[in-house]
Amino acid sequence: MFRGLAALFKSGLILNPMVLSGIAFGIFMAAAVDMAKVFALYKDWHFYLLAAVWAVLYNFGFQKRYHDGGEGVYLTMLQNALGSAAMFLISVFCAASFVFFIFF
């Protein structure tokens, strides 16, 4: 377990702002509600819309990616935003599951 955590820090994945915000939201959510409500949240489309909006704002505001040649800039940034939204959703679920596993 510790090698896996060290690998996350070594690769820099855990220091990604989308992952860090997902971890913070997952810990907050686990402290505020029970696991049944976490599963209900993942069945609600508003949560996915929130993740997508957060990822688009982050990627278009802070982490601009450019395509070679300057063509397809918005498509490249949109693909990066979808990847960031997926990282956010996965990190929220993993953080909430970890807190429930340790404390409950």
Side-chain angles (χ1 to χ4, degrees):
M1 181 173 118
F2 292 113
R3 279 193 222 170
L5 191 59
L8 286 175
F9 277 106
K10 195 175 192 180
S11 69
L13 179 65
I14 204 160
L15 298 176
N16 186 334
M18 292 302 293
V19 173
L20 283 175
S21 63
I23 290 171
F25 187 72
I27 290 172
F28 170 74
M29 188 172 50
V33 299
D34 59 344
M35 196 63 172
K37 290 185 182 177
V38 172
F39 285 129
L41 183 66
Y42 270 88
K43 292 179 182 177
D44 189 14
W45 66 271
H46 292 97
F47 182 61
Y48 294 103
L49 182 65
L50 173 74
V53 168
W54 176 240
V56 166
L57 287 175
Y58 169 72
N59 282 291
F60 278 89
F62 297 108
Q63 188 181 11
K64 296 187 179 199
R65 301 274 173 132
Y66 298 104
H67 193 271
D68 294 334
E71 296 179 9
V73 173
Y74 291 110
L75 180 63
T76 303
M77 289 178 65
L78 185 63
Q79 289 172 346
N80 191 30
L82 291 175
S84 296
M87 284 192 301
F88 176 78
L89 291 169
I90 291 169
S91 63
V92 167
F93 185 74
C94 290
S97 298
F98 179 74
V99 169
F100 281 118
F101 178 73
I102 296 296
F103 294 112
F104 299 109

